[in-house]
Structure formats: C-alpha cells, structure tokens
C-alpha cells in the first residue's frame, strides 16, 4: 500500500504542481504591457496570459490531491512526526497560501486591468513575477526535502 500511495503522491505532484509552476512563471511575461514608447508589444499577449491563468486555477484545484496523498503516505510510512516532513508540510502550506492569496489574484488583477498607467501595470507584473519565483522556490525546497529526507534511515 505504501508504494501505491507514494507513487500516486509523486504522480500528483508532477502532474498538478508542475503545470502550475510553469504556467505561473510564464504568466507575467505575457501579461506585462509594453513599455511606453516601446518599439513593439514584445511578448504581451493577454489571450496567452488568460490561458495560463486558467491552467493555474484548474491545476491548483487538482493540486489538493498532493498534500492529501502526502499525508496518507506519511501516515502509512510512520513519518508524520519527522522534522523533514513537518518542514515540508509548513512550506507546502505557505506555497498554497501564496498561490491562493497572491499569485492567482495578481493574475486576475493584471488580466482585468486594461486601463491605467502602463508603468503601474508593468510594476505589478514585476511584483507578480517575484512572488511566483518565491512560490516556485518553496516547491523546489519541498522536493529536495522529499528526496533527501534529513535523518532518513534509508541511507539515500
């Protein structure tokens, strides 16, 4: 049962969290309006940005399976009290909160703002890119903790 739960947890992580991190990373590039007096729109494409936002929203809902399967796997393995797993749980919670409270609303805001100062919208896209980078760094840290498992007795 442990191998099945672990396999499902890893698959859910790859198939749900992976698309969110990639789409969220790409979003600011397409949502950022061109600089005033710029020579072209560059990558500015609100249709692409809207599609990336849709991917983030959809896969965020599917991503709920990752911690659910993670808790089930941890319980089955008897490691729910291990420090590496507790840190992973905290980081996962922070990443999920960041996604729900800042990344997705920031994307919605940039998609909805068609008017207003271009410099302000460009700055908002820059802040969103930074927030998304932190979100991705949190997930990368969780992945490393899952692989390294400090204090693990497996010798890996």
């Amino acid at each position: 049962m442990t191998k099945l739960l672990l396999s499902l947890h890893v698959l859910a992580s790859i198939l749900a969290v992976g698309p969110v991190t990639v789409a969220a990373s790409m979003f600011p590039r397409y949502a950022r309006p061109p600089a005033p007096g710029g020579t072209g729109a560059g990558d500015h494409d609100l249709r692409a940005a809207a599609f990336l936002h849709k991917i983030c929203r959809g896969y965020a809902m599917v991503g709920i399976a990752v911690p659910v399967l993670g808790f089930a796997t941890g319980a089955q393995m008897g490691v729910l009290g291990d420090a590496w797993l507790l840190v992973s749980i905290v980081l996962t919670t922070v990443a999920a909160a960041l996604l729900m409270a800042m990344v997705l609303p920031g994307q919605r805001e940039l998609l909805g703002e068609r008017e207003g100062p271009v410099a302000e919208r460009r700055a908002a896209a820059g802040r969103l890119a930074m927030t998304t980078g932190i979100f991705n760094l949190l997930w990368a840290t969780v992945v490393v903790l899952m692989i390294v498992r400090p204090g693990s007795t497996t010798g890996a």
Side-chain angles (χ1 to χ4, degrees):
M1 183 58 126
T2 301
K3 290 181 181 181
L4 174 64
L5 286 171
L6 183 58
S7 297
L8 291 173
H9 174 61
V10 170
L11 281 170
S13 298
I14 292 167
L15 297 175
V17 178
V20 172
T21 58
V22 171
S25 294
M26 293 173 64
F27 180 91
R29 173 185 190 181
Y30 291 102
R32 178 177 287 131
T39 59
D43 292 329
H44 184 67
D45 182 348
L46 288 179
R47 284 185 10 184
F51 180 67
L52 293 168
H53 175 63
K54 187 175 181 179
I55 289 171
C56 290
R57 269 194 348 252
Y59 280 93
M61 294 300 125
V62 174
I64 293 169
V66 176
V68 169
L69 289 166
F71 274 110
T73 303
Q76 185 72 27
M77 294 173 69
V79 296
L80 284 179
D82 288 6
W84 64 270
L85 187 59
L86 295 173
V87 171
S88 294
I89 291 168
V90 168
L91 294 177
T92 297
T93 303
V94 171
L98 196 61
L99 178 66
M100 300 310 276
M102 297 184 77
V103 173
L104 293 176
Q107 289 177 347
R108 267 193 309 275
E109 183 180 315
L110 281 170
L111 286 173
E113 283 187 10
R114 302 266 196 310
E115 302 299 320
V118 172
E120 208 172 283
R121 293 186 353 248
R122 289 181 59 80
R127 285 189 303 275
L128 181 61
M130 180 191 65
T131 304
T132 300
I134 293 167
F135 168 77
N136 290 344
L137 184 59
L138 288 167
W139 279 118
T141 304
V142 170
V143 168
V144 169
L145 284 171
M146 292 290 154
I147 293 169
V148 175
R149 299 181 320 224
S152 169
T153 58
T154 64

